Amino acid sequence: MSKKASILVVDDEPHVLKLVKANLESSGYKVLTAEDGEHALRLVENERPDLIVLDLMLPKMDGYAVCRRIREFSPVPVIMLTARSAQVDLVHGFEVGADDYLTKPFSVTELLMRVQAVLRRSKWPEEIVGRQSFIAGPIEIDFAQHRVTVNGGPVKLTPTEYRLLSYLANNVNRVILHRELLRAVWGPEYGEETEYLRVYVRYLRQKLEADPAAPRYLLTQPGAGYMFFQPAEEQA
């Protein structure tokens, strides 16, 4: 049997900590807890959990600040817990390094579903042996090595960013609908979280496009989805 992941839960409400801890442990996870950001940072550094469930509203140091500090030294995936559902809060969370969101109150089923999905996305996808590299202009994707370069220089992508780019590249010159992209990249549990796509496509444009504000390759089809456009003269 494979080793179950360790999860750090950070929340200043004892009843929330108790509830989340009990349900994660009953599903076989090892659970660590912290009630403030400083304790959480020490645990991340010393215990190296596989996932963090992080409340936004914490004393002294809020979840945004904690996540920003974590990203200075660790790529561990983070699910943000928030009582807010405004898009601006979601985008801000992504910008400081969160991987997903859960809005309070949430069900145990939803919590476990998101934990499983984020842990799954935190691993590099299995690639088909023998698949050739993809080239479009200055962008090259080496599927065998999970390596992306622009003008010959390496580009550092997260596993989720790579999954999104890989899926678009493998459906080159085809508009992929929002729902299909979300389910293919984030998982079958997703489908309506179009803001996730907007944020991650923006990340990819910043890393791959010469002019992210006027993208040449990662194109938006308003109201429908996204496409990796490969001009005929740049196909390889």
Side-chain angles (χ1 to χ4, degrees):
M1 181 180 294
S2 60
K3 173 181 171 290
K4 275 287 187 177
S6 62
I7 301 174
L8 170 61
V9 182
V10 189
D11 200 301
D12 65 332
E13 298 181 59
H15 71 281
V16 174
L17 275 184
K18 184 177 180 180
L19 174 67
V20 174
K21 184 175 188 290
N23 282 285
L24 290 174
E25 286 182 338
S26 69
S27 295
Y29 297 107
K30 175 185 176 183
V31 181
L32 307 166
T33 61
E35 295 188 9
D36 62 71
E38 291 182 356
H39 186 199
L41 289 168
R42 290 195 300 272
L43 286 174
V44 175
E45 192 166 5
N46 295 329
E47 301 295 334
R48 299 182 181 276
D50 298 299
L51 172 69
I52 301 172
V53 178
L54 175 64
D55 188 42
L56 176 59
M57 304 301 291
L58 295 172
K60 301 179 182 177
M61 185 188 308
D62 67 18
Y64 294 136
V66 175
C67 193
R68 191 181 295 111
R69 289 276 299 278
I70 289 170
R71 283 293 168 261
E72 293 174 359
F73 65 90
S74 174
V76 59
V78 175
I79 298 176
M80 197 82 83
L81 298 182
T82 175
R84 308 170 181 173
S85 58
Q87 286 191 349
V88 64
D89 297 313
L90 186 151
V91 172
H92 188 193
F94 281 140
E95 287 175 343
V96 298
D99 296 86
D100 210 337
Y101 255 79
L102 263 178
T103 303
K104 293 179 177 180
F106 53 84
S107 68
V108 171
T109 299
E110 185 179 13
L111 169 67
L112 294 174
M113 178 191 75
R114 290 297 171 105
V115 164
Q116 292 165 3
V118 172
L119 284 171
R120 184 176 64 240
R121 292 201 308 273
S122 70
K123 298 177 175 60
W124 291 104
E126 295 288 335
E127 299 290 0
I128 299 173
V129 177
R131 184 186 297 180
Q132 296 182 353
S133 295
F134 173 90
I135 298 175
I139 302 169
E140 180 172 0
I141 307 170
D142 182 335
F143 294 109
Q145 300 295 322
H146 296 121
R147 185 174 61 205
V148 179
T149 59
V150 174
N151 292 316
V155 177
K156 186 177 181 181
L157 298 181
T158 67
T160 301
E161 289 169 345
Y162 177 83
R163 285 175 187 271
L164 178 57
L165 178 63
S166 178
Y167 195 80
L168 288 167
N170 279 293
N171 290 276
V172 65
N173 292 335
R174 179 168 80 88
V175 174
I176 312 298
L177 299 181
H178 294 139
R179 183 180 294 270
E180 179 184 343
L181 259 181
L182 283 163
R183 290 182 171 176
V185 176
W186 274 260
E189 307 88 351
Y190 298 75
E192 306 302 325
E193 297 85 349
T194 55
E195 187 62 38
Y196 288 33
L197 289 173
R198 281 192 284 273
V199 171
Y200 273 85
V201 168
R202 188 172 80 238
Y203 290 162
L204 287 177
R205 285 171 175 161
Q206 290 170 348
K207 295 181 177 183
L208 302 176
E209 297 276 5
D211 182 359
R216 177 177 174 85
Y217 300 100
L218 298 171
L219 305 184
T220 301
Q221 183 66 35
Y226 297 91
M227 175 177 68
F228 194 120
F229 175 64
Q230 185 184 39
E233 67 273 13
E234 296 182 1
Q235 295 179 16

Coordinates of all heavy atoms in Angstrom, one line a residue, residues 2 13 28 34 39 59 63-64 75 83 88 93 107 124 126 130-131 135 158 182 191 201 204 211 213 217 221 223 234:
S2 N 0.6 2.2 -0.8 CA 1.4 3.4 -0.9 C 1.2 4.3 0.3 O 0.1 4.3 1.0 CB 1.0 4.2 -2.2 OG -0.4 4.6 -2.1
E13 N -9.7 28.6 14.4 CA -10.9 28.1 15.0 C -10.8 26.7 15.4 O -10.7 25.8 14.6 CB -12.1 28.3 14.1 CG -12.4 29.7 13.7 CD -13.6 29.8 12.7 OE1 -14.7 29.4 13.2 OE2 -13.4 30.3 11.6
G28 N -7.2 8.3 6.1 CA -5.9 7.7 6.0 C -4.7 8.7 6.0 O -3.6 8.3 5.9
A34 N -2.0 23.7 13.0 CA -1.4 25.0 13.6 C -2.5 26.0 13.6 O -3.4 26.0 12.8 CB -0.3 25.5 12.7
H39 N 3.5 29.4 13.6 CA 3.6 28.0 13.9 C 3.5 27.2 12.6 O 4.2 26.2 12.4 CB 2.4 27.6 14.8 CG 2.5 26.2 15.3 ND1 1.4 25.5 15.8 CD2 3.6 25.3 15.3 CE1 1.8 24.3 16.1 NE2 3.1 24.1 15.8
P59 N -4.9 35.3 12.9 CA -4.4 36.4 13.7 C -3.0 36.7 13.3 O -2.2 35.9 12.9 CB -4.5 35.8 15.1 CG -4.4 34.4 15.0 CD -5.1 34.0 13.7
G63 N -3.7 34.6 5.8 CA -3.3 33.4 4.9 C -2.5 33.9 3.7 O -1.7 33.1 3.2
Y64 N -2.8 35.0 3.2 CA -2.1 35.5 2.0 C -0.6 35.7 2.4 O 0.3 35.2 1.6 CB -2.6 36.9 1.6 CG -4.0 36.9 1.0 CD1 -4.9 37.9 1.4 CD2 -4.4 36.0 0.1 CE1 -6.2 38.0 0.9 CE2 -5.7 36.0 -0.4 CZ -6.6 37.0 0.0 OH -7.9 37.0 -0.5
P75 N 7.5 24.6 -2.7 CA 6.5 24.5 -3.7 C 5.2 23.7 -3.2 O 4.4 23.4 -4.0 CB 7.2 23.8 -4.8 CG 8.1 22.8 -4.1 CD 8.5 23.5 -2.9
A83 N -14.0 32.5 3.9 CA -15.4 32.8 4.0 C -15.8 33.7 2.9 O -17.0 34.0 2.7 CB -15.7 33.5 5.3
V88 N -11.9 38.7 -6.7 CA -10.7 39.4 -6.4 C -9.9 38.7 -5.3 O -8.6 38.6 -5.3 CB -11.0 40.9 -6.0 CG1 -11.8 40.9 -4.7 CG2 -9.7 41.7 -5.8
G93 N -5.3 35.2 -4.0 CA -4.8 33.9 -3.4 C -3.9 33.2 -4.4 O -2.8 32.7 -4.1
S107 N -18.6 21.2 2.7 CA -18.9 19.8 3.2 C -17.6 19.0 3.3 O -16.6 19.3 2.6 CB -19.9 19.2 2.2 OG -19.2 18.9 0.9
W124 N 3.9 15.3 -11.5 CA 4.0 15.5 -12.9 C 3.2 14.4 -13.6 O 3.2 13.2 -13.2 CB 5.5 15.4 -13.3 CG 6.3 16.6 -12.9 CD1 7.1 16.6 -11.8 CD2 6.2 17.9 -13.4 NE1 7.7 17.8 -11.7 CE2 7.1 18.7 -12.6 CE3 5.6 18.5 -14.4 CZ2 7.4 20.0 -12.9 CZ3 5.8 19.8 -14.7 CH2 6.7 20.6 -13.9
E126 N 2.0 11.5 -16.2 CA 2.6 10.4 -16.9 C 2.5 10.8 -18.4 O 1.5 11.2 -18.9 CB 1.9 9.1 -16.7 CG 2.0 8.6 -15.3 CD 3.4 8.1 -14.9 OE1 4.1 7.7 -15.9 OE2 3.7 8.1 -13.7
G130 N 7.8 7.9 -26.1 CA 8.0 8.0 -27.5 C 7.3 9.2 -28.1 O 7.5 9.5 -29.3
R131 N 6.5 9.9 -27.3 CA 5.9 11.1 -27.9 C 6.9 12.2 -28.2 O 7.9 12.4 -27.5 CB 4.9 11.7 -26.8 CG 4.1 12.9 -27.3 CD 3.3 13.6 -26.3 NE 2.3 12.7 -25.7 CZ 1.5 13.1 -24.7 NH1 1.5 14.3 -24.2 NH2 0.6 12.2 -24.3
I135 N 7.0 21.9 -31.1 CA 7.7 23.2 -31.4 C 6.7 24.1 -32.1 O 6.0 23.8 -33.1 CB 8.9 23.0 -32.3 CG1 9.9 22.1 -31.5 CG2 9.6 24.4 -32.6 CD1 11.2 21.8 -32.4
T158 N 5.1 25.1 -13.0 CA 4.5 24.3 -11.9 C 3.9 23.1 -12.6 O 3.6 23.1 -13.8 CB 3.5 25.0 -11.1 OG1 2.3 25.3 -11.9 CG2 4.0 26.3 -10.5
L182 N -10.8 22.5 -17.8 CA -10.8 22.3 -16.3 C -10.8 20.8 -15.9 O -10.1 20.4 -15.1 CB -12.1 23.0 -15.7 CG -11.9 24.5 -15.7 CD1 -13.3 25.2 -15.4 CD2 -11.0 25.0 -14.5
G191 N -15.3 22.2 -13.3 CA -16.0 22.4 -14.6 C -16.5 23.8 -14.7 O -16.7 24.4 -15.8
V201 N -3.7 30.8 -17.5 CA -3.4 31.2 -18.8 C -2.5 32.5 -18.8 O -1.6 32.6 -19.5 CB -4.6 31.4 -19.7 CG1 -4.2 32.0 -21.0 CG2 -5.2 30.0 -20.0
L204 N 1.0 31.5 -17.9 CA 1.7 30.9 -19.0 C 2.1 32.0 -20.0 O 3.2 32.0 -20.6 CB 0.8 29.9 -19.7 CG 0.7 28.5 -19.0 CD1 -0.3 27.6 -19.7 CD2 2.0 27.8 -18.7
D211 N 5.0 39.2 -25.8 CA 4.2 40.3 -25.3 C 2.9 39.7 -24.7 O 2.0 39.4 -25.5 CB 3.8 41.2 -26.5 CG 3.0 42.4 -26.0 OD1 2.7 42.5 -24.8 OD2 2.7 43.3 -26.9
A213 N 0.5 40.8 -23.2 CA -0.7 41.5 -23.4 C -1.3 41.4 -24.8 O -2.5 41.6 -25.0 CB -0.5 43.0 -23.1
Y217 N 0.4 33.0 -29.3 CA 0.2 31.5 -29.3 C -0.9 31.1 -28.4 O -1.7 30.2 -28.7 CB 1.5 30.8 -28.8 CG 2.7 31.1 -29.8 CD1 3.6 32.1 -29.5 CD2 2.8 30.5 -31.0 CE1 4.7 32.4 -30.3 CE2 3.8 30.8 -31.9 CZ 4.8 31.7 -31.6 OH 5.8 32.0 -32.4
Q221 N -10.7 32.5 -26.8 CA -11.9 32.6 -27.6 C -13.0 33.0 -26.7 O -13.5 32.3 -25.9 CB -12.3 31.2 -28.2 CG -13.5 31.2 -29.1 CD -13.3 32.0 -30.4 OE1 -12.2 32.0 -31.0 NE2 -14.4 32.6 -30.8
G223 N -15.8 33.8 -24.3 CA -17.0 33.1 -23.9 C -17.0 31.6 -24.2 O -18.0 30.9 -23.9
E234 N 5.3 28.0 -38.7 CA 6.2 27.7 -37.5 C 6.0 26.3 -37.1 O 6.6 25.9 -36.0 CB 5.8 28.7 -36.4 CG 6.1 30.1 -36.7 CD 5.8 31.0 -35.6 OE1 5.3 30.6 -34.5 OE2 5.9 32.3 -35.7

